[in-house]
Amino acid sequence: MIRHELYSKQSINIIIILSFFMSVMLSFHYLSKYDKLTKIEYTQKLGHPMIKSAVQIHWLEANQIINDINNKKNFLEYGGDYDEFLPQRILALYYHITGQSILDKDGNYEINNGKLLYLTLKTLLFYLSIIYLASQITKVLPIKNCFFIIFFLVIEPTIFQFHSSFWNESLFFPLQVLLLTYLISSPASLFINFFIGITLGFMFTISQESFYLIFPVIIFQILKFKQKSFKIILSSVIGFMMVLSLITIHNYKRTSAIFFMNDGAKSALYLYIAPHVLSISEGISITSAKSKMNDKKFKWIKKNKINASFKNRGFRNLGNIDNKVDRLKYYNYLQNTSLKIIIKNPISSVKFIFNKNLHTLVLDPFFIQNFYKFEVRGEKKHYKSETHKREIPYRIIYSLFLYTIMLIGFFYSLKNVNKIFIFSIIILSLYPIFILGWMGVNRYFMPSLIYLSIFFGNGITNILDIINKKKNYE
């Protein structure tokens, strides 16, 4: 009787509710401890422990949008050239509605300015998407499997920690859950498939690297709906293109240039992979490789008469170019240079990417607490600190533990779950490895856990079934 009640829709709902309140409590704890201004050692300026690195960029961009609103700019002209389109706009909308300020009169971050409510609302979106997933997955999989799938999604610490942070992942998760729910329920409704296209578009607005996710979804639709897939695919593509069109219109209105993906996507290979490949292939230091690429960059700029300004001649300083035509030519040069280095040195490229991917696969359930506790750069940074070194063995063991259960769940799924669904889950899970694995940042692989939750739930169920069979046999 106890077992039967444990694996039920009611118990799933209880876990979801408890997890939500645990997340709010964790957010309250972090804000109580870290919502303050502290002196940053490497800059000797005041900073906020929770708002730095990429998070700080979005907060400053949100503040710029609020200023544009207050200056009564046209809605389509709000903001500037951002790597992501949506996160800073959501943040700006929240602070505009609540009437709170992001920065004080001295340009420092405001304290006690509604951060807890913002984190709570953001977290609520995730748990509402989980409730929707639970309502659909119980129609397809056994309740015991569903229990452990949902349990993983709302309790697993690598995922759970991001609800109490201002990183974009916490906005990305609900959309992933909606996509996972779509794959499970596989509706043929044109409206729902149109909505999934919009969902994929919103995923792109949060992470540009999500642009190609439309293709695994199209492959799923072809395999699932076969001859009936044309209208279904078309409805999804229309939804996806609608979002891209809105971004393009916004950018055109603001800059008079037609684009929906900014320059960051073209410079990533140049900054993060090409110098390492060049270093390995030519047997020189990374510093020498960067210097060599940098010299060629400035020669190209001079030869092509590009009007660019630079604060310094450092490798990572890509400069500022006001002329849109010159800017496009320049970033195309950076992208093409990177691709030439990578393609000409396939062995060095594979070696570097393989090593980086191994690092990417090591999960980090301590990421957020370390992000708040340590500085981004300087002597007080987390990387290579004693804490970092001490945590590595635990992270490796934890990662191997989860992956082992998921592997068991994968083989279980091959026998008990639709093969098209399994294929789609694998493609979506590996997607970050192919797109971003070369950066070696484990945070980029972490969203794959949303999809891999299916294998975890099935794996735990299979293990428990084997244990119970042995007990009954004895």
Side-chain angles (χ1 to χ4, degrees):
M1 182 69 179
I2 294 175
R3 271 185 204 170
H4 175 69
E5 291 177 354
L6 177 62
Y7 307 126
S8 65
K9 291 182 180 180
Q10 184 180 8
S11 63
I12 289 174
N13 290 332
I14 290 172
I15 289 173
I16 294 172
I17 293 170
L18 287 175
S19 176
F20 170 73
F21 283 108
M22 286 169 58
S23 180
V24 174
M25 289 171 63
L26 182 62
S27 296
F28 178 79
H29 166 72
Y30 280 145
L31 286 167
S32 300
K33 190 173 182 180
Y34 295 112
D35 189 16
K36 59 184 179 181
L37 295 177
T38 58
K39 191 174 183 179
I40 303 170
E41 189 174 279
Y42 70 91
T43 63
Q44 294 298 302
K45 295 180 180 179
L46 288 176
H48 197 293
M50 302 178 78
I51 307 172
K52 53 194 176 188
S53 188
V55 176
Q56 176 172 250
I57 294 171
H58 294 135
W59 278 68
L60 293 176
E61 290 168 348
N63 188 68
Q64 179 187 349
I65 292 171
I66 291 174
N67 289 336
D68 289 344
I69 294 172
N70 293 335
N71 292 330
K72 302 189 183 304
K73 273 192 176 183
N74 186 299
F75 170 75
L76 292 174
E77 296 176 352
Y78 291 167
D81 290 328
Y82 306 147
D83 282 347
E84 291 85 19
F85 185 83
L86 190 60
Q88 58 272 23
R89 285 170 170 80
I90 293 176
L91 189 62
L93 178 64
Y94 170 77
Y95 275 103
H96 179 65
I97 291 173
T98 59
Q100 304 255 26
S101 299
I102 290 178
L103 301 178
D104 63 20
K105 56 184 175 56
D106 297 320
N108 297 316
Y109 291 104
E110 290 277 11
I111 307 302
N112 299 322
N113 61 336
K115 295 185 185 73
L116 180 60
L117 178 59
Y118 176 76
L119 289 175
T120 302
L121 292 173
K122 195 159 53 73
T123 302
L124 183 61
L125 286 176
F126 174 77
Y127 283 91
L128 288 175
S129 71
I130 292 292
I131 290 171
Y132 179 59
L133 170 65
S135 71
Q136 298 301 309
I137 198 172
T138 49
K139 298 176 183 178
V140 180
L141 295 175
I143 191 67
K144 187 175 181 180
N145 302 55
C146 297
F147 175 86
F148 287 112
I149 290 168
I150 300 299
F151 180 85
F152 178 86
L153 286 170
V154 300
I155 296 296
E156 198 285 315
T158 318
I159 297 172
F160 185 80
Q161 62 180 332
F162 278 90
H163 304 320
S164 300
S165 80
F166 300 106
W167 284 90
N168 289 346
E169 279 77 2
S170 56
L171 291 171
F172 197 68
F173 291 157
L175 300 174
Q176 285 187 281
V177 174
L178 289 179
L179 179 57
L180 179 61
T181 307
Y182 167 77
L183 296 175
I184 290 169
S185 56
S186 307
S189 164
L190 295 182
F191 174 77
I192 292 177
N193 281 278
F194 170 75
F195 176 75
I196 282 300
I198 291 178
T199 301
L200 291 167
F202 277 125
M203 291 173 80
F204 170 75
T205 66
I206 296 172
S207 172
Q208 283 195 99
E209 293 76 21
S210 302
F211 176 74
Y212 301 104
L213 278 176
I214 185 73
F215 297 108
V217 172
I218 289 174
I219 292 171
F220 169 80
Q221 291 168 334
I222 292 171
L223 295 174
K224 185 70 180 178
F225 301 108
K226 298 179 175 64
Q227 292 90 346
K228 299 178 181 179
S229 63
F230 177 75
K231 289 183 179 180
I232 290 171
I233 292 170
L234 185 61
S235 61
S236 295
V237 171
I238 290 173
F240 183 63
M241 292 303 295
M242 272 186 62
V243 177
L244 297 188
S245 297
L246 288 173
I247 298 172
T248 303
I249 292 169
H250 170 81
N251 289 332
Y252 179 76
K253 185 72 176 177
R254 188 172 47 79
T255 67
S256 299
I258 299 175
F259 66 97
F260 60 82
M261 188 179 289
N262 71 11
D263 301 323
K266 292 183 177 182
S267 61
L269 290 177
Y270 184 86
L271 292 173
Y272 300 110
I273 185 169
H276 293 274
V277 172
L278 189 63
S279 169
I280 295 170
S281 63
E282 297 190 1
I284 58 177
S285 67
I286 294 174
T287 302
S288 298
K290 289 180 177 179
S291 178
K292 187 175 182 178
M293 291 173 62
N294 215 28
D295 290 341
K296 288 184 177 179
K297 177 184 75 178
F298 282 106
K299 287 178 181 177
W300 181 90
I301 289 172
K302 185 177 180 180
K303 181 181 178 182
N304 288 270
K305 298 179 181 178
I306 302 295
N307 186 18
S309 60
F310 294 84
K311 291 182 179 179
N312 57 66
R313 291 179 67 90
F315 177 77
R316 292 180 62 84
N317 184 6
L318 299 180
N320 183 52
I321 302 173
D322 294 326
N323 184 283
K324 301 299 178 183
V325 175
D326 283 353
R327 185 180 178 87
L328 181 62
K329 285 172 62 178
Y330 173 57
Y331 277 90
N332 283 340
Y333 162 77
L334 296 179
Q335 186 179 51
N336 294 333
T337 298
S338 308
L339 291 173
K340 284 178 183 177
I341 292 173
I342 294 166
I343 293 169
K344 284 183 178 179
N345 303 284
I347 296 175
S348 298
S349 299
V350 170
K351 183 179 178 181
F352 173 76
I353 292 171
F354 178 77
N355 290 334
K356 285 291 184 179
N357 276 323
L358 286 180
H359 185 269
T360 301
L361 291 170
V362 179
L363 303 175
D364 188 1
F366 310 108
F367 177 82
I368 293 300
Q369 72 172 25
N370 288 328
F371 177 73
Y372 293 158
K373 184 178 179 181
F374 291 89
E375 294 186 2
V376 178
R377 289 186 288 275
E379 293 183 4
K380 291 187 177 181
K381 69 179 180 181
H382 173 250
Y383 183 62
K384 291 187 177 181
S385 68
E386 288 303 313
T387 302
H388 176 254
K389 294 173 184 176
R390 187 171 61 250
E391 288 172 350
I392 289 175
Y394 296 104
R395 289 171 52 199
I396 292 173
I397 292 169
Y398 178 69
S399 300
L400 290 174
F401 171 73
L402 285 191
Y403 293 146
T404 300
I405 294 174
M406 290 171 181
L407 185 62
I408 294 169
F410 168 72
F411 288 114
Y412 170 93
S413 300
L414 286 176
K415 297 178 182 178
N416 300 280
V417 181
N418 181 277
K419 302 295 188 298
I420 298 172
F421 174 68
I422 295 173
F423 172 76
S424 301
I425 289 297
I426 292 171
I427 294 298
L428 289 173
S429 300
L430 293 177
Y431 180 87
I433 293 292
F434 292 120
I435 301 297
L436 290 169
W438 47 269
M439 292 190 72
V441 179
N442 39 59
R443 181 170 57 86
Y444 292 152
F445 178 73
M446 186 266 304
S448 293
L449 294 178
I450 299 291
Y451 308 119
L452 292 173
S453 64
I454 300 297
F455 295 145
F456 178 87
N458 289 344
I460 287 289
T461 301
N462 191 25
I463 291 169
L464 292 176
D465 288 345
I466 292 171
I467 292 172
N468 289 331
K469 283 181 182 179
K470 285 186 177 180
K471 285 182 178 179
N472 294 333
Y473 180 76
E474 292 173 356

